[in-house]
Amino acid sequence: MIRLHHVPASRSFRVLWMLEELGLEAEIVTYAIGDGSLRAPEVLALTPAGRVPALEIDGQALFESGAIVEYLAETRAEAGLGRPVGHPDRGRYLQCLHFAETQASLIENLNLSHIFLRPPARPSIPVLKITTARLKATLGALERLLEWRDHLLGDFSAADVMLGFNLWAAPRYVRMAPFPALAAYRDRLAARPAFVAARAKDGEQDFYDREFYEILDV
Ligand SMILES: N[C@@H](CCC(=O)N[C@@H](CS)C(=O)NCC(=O)O)C(=O)O
């Protein structure tokens, strides 16, 4: 039995997508951010910071999307989505897996400032500007990489699941026109049957209520 603890359109989508790439069936338990469901004791027993994803698999419960994606790639190695020790792309593979969370933590900070902060609390405009510029810089780095290859390491890998997922959230905060290679890459990922299957199981997100969030300097 595999059970995924999931919030639609959140980082747990990476695991949902990865499970589909591997052809693994899972029960999905869905939560919402902000309704307290992620703070229930039985959830905290699986994921102590009350965050998703958590994955029950192989007789254990794992949290941290990067660790789970890497674990799945390693333990289901026949699918070829990992880059094992000794593989020439091993270093760049690990770098991409971890860079995904550098980028996602910038998106998370922007989510907090733009969406989750409630009056009378007010976001800091300089912090918003710096965080947005940093997110843009990470997108620029990926754009340069993907100008001359179809996927981060050439062929599709688990690193694309980790980083590719971010491309559905980053455009809420950064205009994507300067990043045509990223747009084409996102289209390639979206066309994967496993991505389509994961989207069908994902559920509707309920935190973004705008296509794009401007920094309102008021
Ligand atoms: N580094 C962690 C971050 C997990 C995380 O922050 N997940 C968010 C959703 S994207 C969450 O569960 N937030 C719930 C909350 O902050 O209450 C991972 O990659 O799994």
Side-chain angles (χ1 to χ4, degrees), residues 56-184:
E56 295 176 70
I57 187 168
D58 301 338
Q60 63 195 327
L62 299 173
F63 58 92
E64 284 295 328
S65 62
I68 295 169
V69 165
E70 207 174 332
Y71 175 85
L72 288 170
E74 280 181 15
T75 56
R76 278 77 181 167
E78 62 284 356
L81 298 183
R83 297 295 182 269
V85 174
H87 191 288
D89 283 338
R90 172 72 176 175
R92 287 190 303 123
Y93 168 71
L94 291 175
Q95 183 175 280
C96 287
L97 283 181
H98 292 271
F99 188 49
E101 273 302 280
T102 292
Q103 190 174 62
S105 62
L106 295 167
I107 295 169
E108 177 181 326
N109 287 338
L110 292 169
N111 288 344
L112 277 176
S113 291
H114 281 285
I115 299 171
F116 293 117
L117 215 55
R118 294 276 172 252
R122 288 165 62 89
S124 155
I125 300 298
V127 169
L128 273 175
K129 286 183 176 170
I130 291 166
T131 309
T132 305
R134 286 179 167 219
L135 177 58
K136 200 169 172 184
T138 64
L139 293 169
L142 292 179
E143 173 75 11
R144 289 189 289 281
L145 205 63
L146 288 157
E147 270 166 356
W148 55 282
R149 48 175 59 190
D150 280 354
H151 300 96
L152 294 166
L153 303 173
D155 292 334
F156 181 79
S157 74
D160 295 297
V161 173
M162 283 298 293
L163 263 167
F165 158 76
N166 295 346
L167 296 181
W168 272 264
R172 304 272 180 188
Y173 302 120
V174 175
R175 301 275 183 206
M176 297 301 281
F179 308 117
L182 281 187

Side-chain angles (χ1 to χ4, degrees), residues 10-11 14 33 38-39 50-53 64-66 101 108:
S10 79
R11 288 172 175 101
R14 291 170 172 156
I33 293 179
L38 285 171
R39 301 295 179 267
R51 302 213 180 179
V52 293
E64 284 295 328
S65 62
E101 273 302 280
E108 177 181 326

